[in-house]
Amino acid sequence: MKFPVLEVLDDLQVALSNNPLVILQAPPGAGKSTILPLELMNESWLKKQKMLMLEPRRLAAKSVAQRMASLRGESIGDSVGYRVRFDTRVSDKTILEVVTEGILTRMIQSDNSLEGVGLVIFDEFHERSLQADLALALCLQVQQVLRPDLRILIMSATLDAEALKKSLGEIPVITSEGKQYPIRATTSKNCIGCSESASGRSGRCVGFLARGGRDTTSGRSGRATFFRSSCTHLVCRSFL
């Protein structure tokens, strides 16, 4: 499977090699959180330094790190690890660390030059918070005063890049269009397999709808079909 973000990978690599600060706009599912960081791990301008990727929540940080480690066929803590509150899975071999906002701020406070870090990625930056804005401000300060070689990549699905450029100046904006698939809605008069019995309301009806949803939205054919029933059972409506 080719992820949409890979279509702009070359443009992004050129932008990062020539600019210290870049914005990436990519819709959900484009692969910006789990595919793109892995593609950047061997960039020459990194000079074998680490990458830090900021996620706004602990669950997201751990899940993204575990997914990337799985894609590389490794255990978490090898080349990909994470740091969240009360839980750290990194090693001497770790190149990419996924961290939360507070962790990144404390890392900068303890090492204000971010020695050994070549790229800081701010994922889901549209979820603006005081911690994320502070971390970006500190990284920009490190970049301007101590580390002109430090790269910063800001990623988001819904970020207003033009508004951000007014604060950060003229910086490259790379946009991934993503993909869309046709959706067909089919309405049936009766919910197949449903009956007035208690077993029908809680068992057969749910089973049919669950099977239908799983089979028709697998994405193998590039199409999605949603079945809508006029059945008034509560258990049916929960799947509509």
Side-chain angles (χ1 to χ4, degrees):
M1 178 184 293
K2 185 176 181 180
F3 288 84
V5 75
L6 296 178
E7 297 176 1
V8 299
L9 178 61
D10 291 341
D11 294 337
L12 182 64
Q13 289 172 324
V14 171
L16 283 170
S17 64
N18 298 321
N19 299 274
L21 179 61
V22 178
I23 295 176
L24 172 65
Q25 289 181 311
K32 63 181 181 297
S33 298
T34 55
I35 303 300
L36 182 64
L38 298 180
E39 296 292 331
L40 297 176
M41 289 176 67
N42 297 316
E43 288 297 294
S44 59
W45 44 262
L46 269 178
K47 300 177 181 178
K48 298 183 179 180
Q49 299 181 99
K50 284 186 176 183
M51 297 166 52
L52 299 179
M53 185 164 78
L54 181 143
E55 289 290 340
R57 293 171 300 279
R58 282 180 285 177
L59 180 60
K62 296 171 70 172
S63 299
V64 167
Q66 289 166 351
R67 175 57 177 166
M68 287 192 288
S70 174
L71 289 173
R72 289 179 63 87
E74 300 175 350
S75 299
I76 190 70
D78 288 342
S79 64
V80 180
Y82 65 79
R83 293 179 190 265
V84 300
R85 189 179 182 186
F86 303 131
D87 192 4
T88 299
R89 297 287 296 275
V90 298
S91 68
D92 294 337
K93 300 182 294 182
T94 303
I95 301 172
L96 173 57
E97 293 186 20
V98 186
V99 302
T100 49
E101 299 163 345
I103 296 294
L104 178 57
T105 301
R106 286 194 287 274
M107 292 176 70
I108 297 173
Q109 289 174 334
S110 61
D111 179 9
N112 55 15
S113 66
L114 284 179
E115 193 68 31
V117 176
L119 172 64
V120 180
I121 302 174
F122 288 81
D123 194 19
E124 306 295 353
F125 194 72
H126 60 275
E127 298 188 22
R128 300 287 297 276
S129 68
L130 179 60
Q131 289 274 26
D133 285 4
L134 175 60
L136 177 59
L138 292 174
C139 285
L140 290 172
Q141 186 179 51
V142 169
Q143 188 183 70
Q144 294 168 3
V145 177
L146 300 171
R147 291 284 311 283
D149 62 315
L150 179 66
R151 263 72 170 185
I152 298 174
L153 174 60
I154 299 174
M155 305 194 304
S156 174
T158 59
L159 183 68
D160 187 348
E162 294 303 319
L164 192 59
K165 286 173 65 175
K166 292 180 180 178
S167 301
L168 300 178
E170 288 298 320
I171 54 179
V173 178
I174 308 298
T175 302
S176 172
E177 298 298 336
K179 292 183 180 179
Q180 293 183 341
Y181 298 95
I183 296 177
R184 182 183 67 187
T186 302
T187 303
S188 62
K189 293 182 180 180
N190 298 300
C191 185
I192 300 175
C194 186
S195 68
E196 293 294 334
S197 66
S199 62
R201 289 196 298 272
S202 62
R204 296 169 64 192
C205 181
V206 174
F208 166 73
L209 289 169
R211 289 198 305 275
R214 183 172 62 251
D215 293 341
T216 57
T217 60
S218 63
R220 293 176 184 172
S221 63
R223 297 191 181 119
T225 302
F226 292 86
F227 289 92
R228 180 179 300 142
S229 172
S230 60
C231 175
T232 58
H233 291 162
L234 179 61
V235 72
C236 293
R237 290 201 302 269
S238 67
F239 283 85
L240 301 183

